[in-house]
């Protein structure tokens, strides 16, 4: 016991030196967290950690796909470094081909020999699409990294017949002409298709539809989603933009019986101005605070949409799918027009962590989410530059949080000092918890305050253990980033400064940090 105490004091002294070295006014504050292991909640669906990849900028070409003849190491044309990185965080599901791109996409452009595929104008994002990455490449890519598949159907400019034929091409296991065409194109066995999104942002780039009109269009399309036997498809209705609960109400009231899931899109714009969203790297504490406030807003959005869904679906059969979320800032200087390439800082990591915490807390209704986007676009997991690759702070949060995939949610109560900046205020500490299939309890703690550490007293009724291990993610400054020349500035480190005895965990949570603890 003396050794543990000595180690604990050493951790605290080290933290004091770190904090004082950065000129912080105070050292520690007190916070109380209760994890109700005796009141387990629903399972945290792994799909909450889903990804989104759109035919946009360098999200696909150069990010995922380089082709078999590239000098960049690849697996059948897929970047090997990206494949390995995505497999390491256990990506559970990928949404493709959009986004706005989906509602102008002809699936036949992306099948067959690549040297015979047409080049099309990318009317959504500018430039052209070579269609070198199409249905065959996406489905094989998802299979390669072990992810489920989520296809966005073209409703805006397509037809129910085209959708039905696309699904048949991917999933038929017989002698139909479409199944034979797939075999002739090199794929004998059907692919496993898991989710079908019927349109994207139908209130906007998907067709500028009114909710009543889209609800009827959805009913029409949903009628012709023919799932293969023993492989049911989840039909996802195009849902609301942020707080438009009226859209959810109308679509659920008209089409709810044919809906398996309905989507929700919400982006955090730190400045609140879509024309000038703010820099991903050159920002101060005001934009730090506003980004965290934007992430915390997800809780209210989910609660409001869930309340509307409860009117028509009190048993929560229909899932709420947050299939576009994340921070949207001005793209990096020098990036091509509409590429949506932005850097990724410690700010993005913390906002991702608290958003995932919120999804956990609503696991009874939120059963999939897809961060925008996977590689080189918006709040990406990965950035690439020719042969180089760098993992972002957001990637490392997904890596630390992968222990929650499939875990049983454990409710948490938090009492902590507020973090204040000017007139703005948010809770200083955020937390989530879950118990995995092996019985290990995992607790994530996020300190939103960039100046003050928190001494957290964490109690877990019903859990008697003594072993605690963890990892932390923090950095010297709120805008610290990983670059191709310095890829390890923001990276998880072992966190040993915690004690666990008689159901009580004591930990000093560093400023602006994410800590994930494993308790045995």
């Amino acid at each position: 016991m003396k050794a543990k105490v000595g180690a604990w004091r050493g951790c605290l002294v080290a933290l004091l030196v770190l904090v004082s070295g950065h000129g912080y006014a105070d050292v520690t504050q007190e916070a109380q967290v209760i994890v109700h292991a005796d009141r387990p909640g629903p399972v945290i669906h792994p799909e909450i950690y889903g990804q989104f990849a759109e035919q946009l900028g360098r999200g696909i070409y150069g990010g995922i796909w380089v082709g078999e003849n590239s000098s960049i190491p690849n697996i059948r044309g897929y970047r090997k470094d990206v494949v390995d990185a995505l497999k390491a965080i256990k990506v559970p599901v990928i949404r493709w081909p959009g986004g706005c791109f989906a509602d102008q996409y002809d699936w036949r452009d992306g099948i067959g020999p690549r040297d015979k595929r047409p080049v099309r104008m990318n009317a959504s994002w500018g430039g052209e699409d070579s269609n070198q990455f199409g249905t065959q490449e996406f489905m094989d890519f998802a299979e390669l990294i072990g992810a489920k598949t989520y296809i966005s159907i073209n409703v805006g400019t397509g037809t129910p017949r085209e959708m039905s034929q696309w699904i048949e091409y991917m999933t038929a296991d017989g002698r139909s002409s479409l199944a034979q065409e797939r075999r002739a194109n090199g794929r004998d066995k059907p692919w496993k298709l898991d989710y079908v999104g019927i349109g994207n942002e139908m209130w906007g780039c998907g067709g500028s539809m009114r909710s009543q009109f889209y609800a009827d269009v959805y009913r029409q399309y949903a009628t012709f989603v023919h799932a293969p036997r023993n492989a049911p498809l989840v039909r996802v209705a195009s849902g609301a933009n942020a707080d438009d609960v009226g859209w959810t109400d109308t679509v659920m009231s008209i089409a709810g019986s044919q809906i398996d899931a309905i989507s929700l899109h919400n982006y955090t714009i730190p400045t609140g101005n879509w024309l000038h969203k703010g820099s991903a790297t050159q920002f101060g504490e005001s934009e730090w605070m506003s980004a965290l406030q934007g992430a915390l807003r997800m809780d209210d959005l989910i609660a409001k949409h869930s309340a509307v869904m409860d009117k028509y679906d009190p048993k929560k059969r229909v899932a709420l799918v947050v299939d576009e979320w994340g921070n949207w800032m001005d793209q990096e200087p020098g990036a091509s027009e509409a590429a949506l390439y932005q850097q990724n800082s410690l700010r993005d990591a913390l906002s991702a962590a608290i958003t995932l915490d919120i999804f956990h807390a609503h696991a009874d209704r939120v059963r999939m989410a897809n961060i925008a986007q996977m590689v080189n676009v918006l709040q990406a997991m990965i950035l690439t530059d020719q042969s180089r690759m760098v993992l972002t702070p957001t990637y490392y949060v997904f890596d630390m949080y992968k222990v929650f995939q499939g875990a049983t949610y454990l409710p948490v109560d938090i009492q902590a000092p507020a973090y204040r900046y000017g007139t703005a205020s948010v809770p200083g500490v955020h937390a989530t918890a879950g118990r995995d299939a092996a019985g290990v309890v995992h607790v994530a703690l996020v300190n939103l305050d960039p100046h003050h550490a928190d001494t957290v007293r964490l109690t877990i009724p019903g859990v008697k253990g003594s072993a605690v291990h963890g990892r932390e993610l923090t950095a010297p400054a709120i805008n610290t980033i990983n670059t191709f020349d310095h890829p390890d500035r923001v990276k998880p480190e072992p966190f040993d400064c915690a004690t666990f005895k008689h159901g009580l965990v004591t930990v000093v949570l560093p400023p602006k940090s994410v800590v994930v603890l494993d308790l045995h």
Side-chain angles (χ1 to χ4, degrees), residues 301-322:
L301 292 176
I302 292 172
K304 288 180 177 178
H305 286 283
S306 293
V308 170
M309 295 172 71
D310 286 345
K311 293 196 304 181
Y312 307 101
D313 178 38
K315 294 185 179 180
K316 300 186 186 298
R317 177 189 65 83
V318 179
L320 181 61
V321 170
V322 189

Side-chain angles (χ1 to χ4, degrees), residues 2 75 96 283:
K2 288 183 179 179
I75 304 170
W96 174 88
F283 61 87

Side-chain angles (χ1 to χ4, degrees), residues 344 372-383 392 394-395:
N344 197 291
Q373 292 187 14
M374 190 159 62
V375 186
N376 286 334
V377 176
L378 299 178
Q379 191 176 348
M381 302 285 110
I382 298 168
L383 303 177
T392 68
T394 298
Y395 173 93

Side-chain angles (χ1 to χ4, degrees), residues 11-12 16 59 62 89 125 132 170 174 187 201 207 248 276-277 328 336 350 388 444 446 460 484-485 515:
C11 291
L12 183 56
L16 296 177
I89 58 172
W125 300 110
Q132 296 300 288
M170 290 184 282
R187 175 72 184 198
E201 295 188 357
T248 302
H276 302 284
K277 305 177 190 70
W328 194 330
S336 60
L350 265 68
R388 298 190 294 177
V446 186
I460 314 176
F484 297 105
D485 294 326
V515 170

Side-chain angles (χ1 to χ4, degrees), residues 201 203 239-245 247-248 263-267 274 297 301 305:
E201 295 188 357
W203 38 264
N241 179 21
D243 57 1
D244 185 3
V245 294
W247 179 279
T248 302
S263 69
L264 171 65
H265 290 183
N266 183 64
Y267 288 96
W274 277 91
R297 182 169 175 255
L301 292 176
H305 286 283

Side-chain angles (χ1 to χ4, degrees), residues 264 266-270 287-303 322 325-329 346-359 362 371 379 426-427 430 446 448:
L264 171 65
N266 183 64
Y267 288 96
T268 293
I269 311 299
E287 290 80 16
W288 166 273
M289 169 62 83
S290 62
L292 298 179
Q293 287 179 309
L296 290 168
R297 182 169 175 255
M298 184 65 75
D299 186 49
D300 183 60
L301 292 176
I302 292 172
V322 189
W325 68 273
N327 292 333
W328 194 330
M329 276 80 81
L346 184 66
R347 175 178 64 171
D348 297 288
L350 265 68
S351 62
I354 58 181
T355 302
L356 293 169
D357 293 353
I358 291 167
F359 293 157
H362 291 279
I371 191 169
Q379 191 176 348
V426 295
H430 215 263
V446 186
L448 284 64

